[in-house]
Amino acid sequence: MDSATFERPTGPSPAGPSLASTADNGLKIVVVGGFGVGKTTMVRSVSEIRPLNTEETMTRAGEGIDELADLDGLRRKTSTTVAFDFGRISLDKRSVLYLFGAPGQERFWFLWDRLFSGTLGAVVLVDTRRLADSWYAIDRLEHYGTPFIVACNDFGGPLHTEEQIREALDIASDVPMVECDARDRSSSKYVLITLVEHLHTLSARAEKNAQADKDAAASADATDPSPEGTP
């Protein structure tokens, strides 16, 4: 896929361009991951419209729930997503990618099941300093059979090899894994392009397997020695 199709259109509206009447193919993508891994930042960096955010200020009253003091490297985080983030990217004149950023805090995980409905695929955004926080996202995606890729957001933490991350998260070798900086538009675009290409590969593989099964069934019928009409 040509990355140029992700370029942000220009226009007089501060909220971004209106959806073209010719767009009739909407593709839903969800960005998931633990608390503070950069989901809101990624949606903001690539959306061609002003993103819809449901962030609320974190207060002392939520310290015992949000466990902010225990999250290494997140002491400066002052807000949190309480529902979801939403952005949009026009792939071409007829296809639009809708981005949903899922809330990361455990008390909002009940919203994930609804966000996954109708989802084409997902990006699991990972902070390598806190790999365990990605377990729930991967578990839910596998539960629903939703294809996904893994994107390791750069927080300047300890370096891990791809093999170490795959082993820690129990990720299959055929699941793409990329490094990214969610603040950078080009980097985030690359993540989404990788996901779309992965989905295309899975679709082509499924179509090929279905055709092989069909051909095998036809071959079996052609060589069946049973007389015509015999049950």
Side-chain angles (χ1 to χ4, degrees):
M1 178 176 294
D2 186 353
S3 61
T5 58
F6 285 87
E7 289 300 321
R8 186 191 304 270
T10 58
S13 172
S18 60
L19 184 60
S21 59
T22 56
D24 56 8
N25 189 20
L27 310 175
K28 181 180 177 182
I29 299 296
V30 175
V31 182
V32 297
F35 176 53
V37 295
K39 301 179 296 295
T40 297
T41 300
M42 175 169 283
V43 173
R44 284 176 177 172
S45 70
V46 296
S47 179
E48 67 188 17
I49 63 172
R50 180 178 297 161
L52 169 65
N53 299 123
T54 56
E55 288 196 312
E56 294 293 340
T57 301
M58 300 178 65
T59 64
R60 289 188 176 276
E63 285 184 356
I65 301 174
D66 300 333
E67 299 179 346
L68 181 60
D70 297 329
L71 296 179
D72 182 31
L74 296 181
R75 298 182 185 277
R76 295 183 180 180
K77 187 171 175 61
T78 59
S79 62
T80 182
T81 299
V82 297
F84 61 86
D85 304 307
F86 173 76
R88 191 191 77 207
I89 297 172
S90 296
L91 300 179
D92 53 41
K93 291 183 178 180
R94 306 193 67 86
S95 300
V96 177
L97 191 67
Y98 297 109
L99 299 176
F100 290 83
Q105 293 188 65
E106 183 175 355
R107 59 188 171 124
F108 299 122
W109 284 353
F110 70 93
L111 296 170
W112 286 25
D113 291 346
R114 291 187 177 274
L115 285 178
F116 288 166
S117 177
T119 297
L120 184 66
V123 173
V124 178
L125 203 56
V126 171
D127 180 349
T128 56
R129 301 170 301 175
R130 299 180 285 116
L131 287 173
D133 291 357
S134 304
W135 269 105
Y136 182 78
I138 294 174
D139 176 74
R140 298 315 296 165
L141 290 170
E142 291 179 341
H143 172 76
Y144 282 98
T146 303
F148 65 92
I149 69 168
V150 174
C152 299
N153 197 9
D154 181 16
F155 284 97
L159 297 177
H160 299 282
T161 65
E162 179 177 326
E163 290 74 17
Q164 289 174 328
I165 297 174
R166 286 187 183 277
E167 182 177 358
L169 298 178
D170 194 21
I171 299 172
S173 59
D174 60 344
V175 175
M177 180 181 296
V178 297
E179 296 180 356
C180 74
D181 183 343
R183 301 166 299 179
D184 181 76
R185 180 171 172 77
S186 296
S187 182
S188 295
K189 286 194 300 183
Y190 176 71
V191 171
L192 297 178
I193 291 170
T194 301
L195 174 59
V196 172
E197 290 177 343
H198 179 53
L199 295 175
H200 176 73
T201 298
L202 293 178
S203 177
R205 183 185 305 166
E207 184 176 346
K208 181 179 179 180
N209 291 339
Q211 184 61 47
D213 291 341
K214 183 178 180 181
D215 293 343
S219 177
D221 291 341
T223 57
D224 187 353
S226 301
E228 185 176 353
T230 302

